[in-house]
Amino acid sequence: MTCLIHPSILSADFSQLGKELTAISTADAAHIDVMDGHFVPNLTWGLPVVKRLKEVSPIPFDVHLMIEDADRWAPAYAEVGCESVTFHAEAAIAPIKLARTLRESGAKAGMALRPATGVEPYMDMLSELNMLLIMTVEPGFGGQAFLNVTLPKIKRAAAAIEGSGAEVILQVDGGITEETIVRAAEAGATCFVAGSSVYGADDLEAAIAGLRRAAASAPTH
Ligand code: DX5
Ligand code: ZN
């Protein structure tokens, strides 16, 4: 199985973000958490900061928008060249239209679901997406424990993606460690966001390699 590792810079040293991006250059993309203090009770950075960081990053950007009114704000992240832009289903009025707009701007379109949001209402729109993100913690903060209760949803989403024939990356985000990544991969996830387990390690490259190895070791069905 090909698995993708996306470290989240939410756990990086904010005074050194350029260097912190270079430190994860062996990963597949950098996960950039945009929070507005409304959709989630935390605030990070917005478009001008993301645009500048993108210019110095050695790897692609996977932007995770935890913001209200995604229909209005998400397209600008695609327009500044972010390779992948993920909005929350709970924050979009017209998710199909938004996904099409993102793809027309040259980005991959991702849609995220909070832990308690069902995947079933969205199964018919999988072909509109490049990525489906199943949150494995409540969005807002790094360093939380992986919610095992999300595993059946990951399995159902993986089966729906396979059944649809569409090429959709199944991403998980929150509480991913060398231990929990095995469970998520076994359930069918193919892309793994990891904040504290990568940036909290002494050797970031080794942490990324360790996650890759652990995901690859998961039994497949
Ligand atoms: C949480 C963010 C995550 C966060 C994950 O709302 O979306 O991307 O950085 O951090 P860890 O891996 O520490 O749970
Ligand atoms: Zn995230």
Side-chain angles (χ1 to χ4, degrees):
M1 179 191 77
T2 319
C3 72
L4 303 169
I5 305 293
H6 293 188
S8 164
I9 64 165
L10 188 63
S11 295
D13 176 350
F14 291 175
S15 76
Q16 308 281 332
L17 285 175
K19 279 190 197 152
E20 293 281 66
L21 284 166
T22 306
I24 56 162
S25 59
T26 56
D28 299 287
H31 183 82
I32 313 294
D33 290 302
V34 176
M35 306 186 189
D36 66 356
H38 295 277
F39 183 74
V40 288
N42 194 7
L43 187 64
T44 54
W45 35 66
L47 188 65
V49 175
V50 174
K51 179 173 184 264
R52 178 65 189 128
L53 288 175
K54 171 84 193 86
E55 287 163 7
V56 301
S57 175
I59 51 172
F61 267 18
D62 157 32
V63 175
H64 175 195
L65 298 173
M66 284 160 277
I67 60 170
E68 287 181 353
D69 206 356
D71 307 70
R72 176 171 175 194
W73 301 111
Y77 289 85
E79 282 156 21
V80 300
C82 295
E83 285 80 356
S84 173
V85 179
T86 298
F87 59 87
H88 265 265
E90 304 89 350
I93 306 269
I96 295 173
K97 182 170 176 233
L98 179 53
R100 288 185 182 180
T101 303
L102 293 171
R103 292 169 93 165
E104 276 159 20
S105 301
K108 285 183 182 160
M111 191 177 73
L113 305 176
R114 284 178 179 268
T117 301
V119 69
E120 284 70 19
Y122 301 100
M123 283 192 175
D124 290 339
M125 64 167 286
L126 289 173
S127 61
E128 300 286 341
L129 301 172
N130 299 100
M131 185 161 81
L132 179 68
L133 164 54
I134 309 264
M135 288 304 298
T136 45
V137 297
E138 286 297 344
F141 299 93
Q144 303 179 75
F146 182 88
L147 293 171
N148 284 314
V149 71
T150 61
L151 287 168
K153 182 164 63 172
I154 299 169
K155 277 192 198 147
R156 292 197 302 278
I161 289 169
E162 201 175 324
S164 76
E167 266 191 43
V168 182
I169 296 166
L170 184 54
Q171 186 178 63
V172 287
D173 180 8
I176 297 296
T177 63
E178 280 191 29
E179 188 202 330
T180 59
I181 199 171
V182 180
R183 282 177 237 157
E186 189 175 2
T190 52
C191 178
F192 307 88
V193 176
S196 45
S197 70
V198 170
Y199 280 104
D202 292 332
D203 183 339
L204 275 60
E205 256 183 54
I208 292 164
L211 287 170
R212 243 187 239 296
R213 249 194 322 274
S217 78
T220 47
H221 303 283

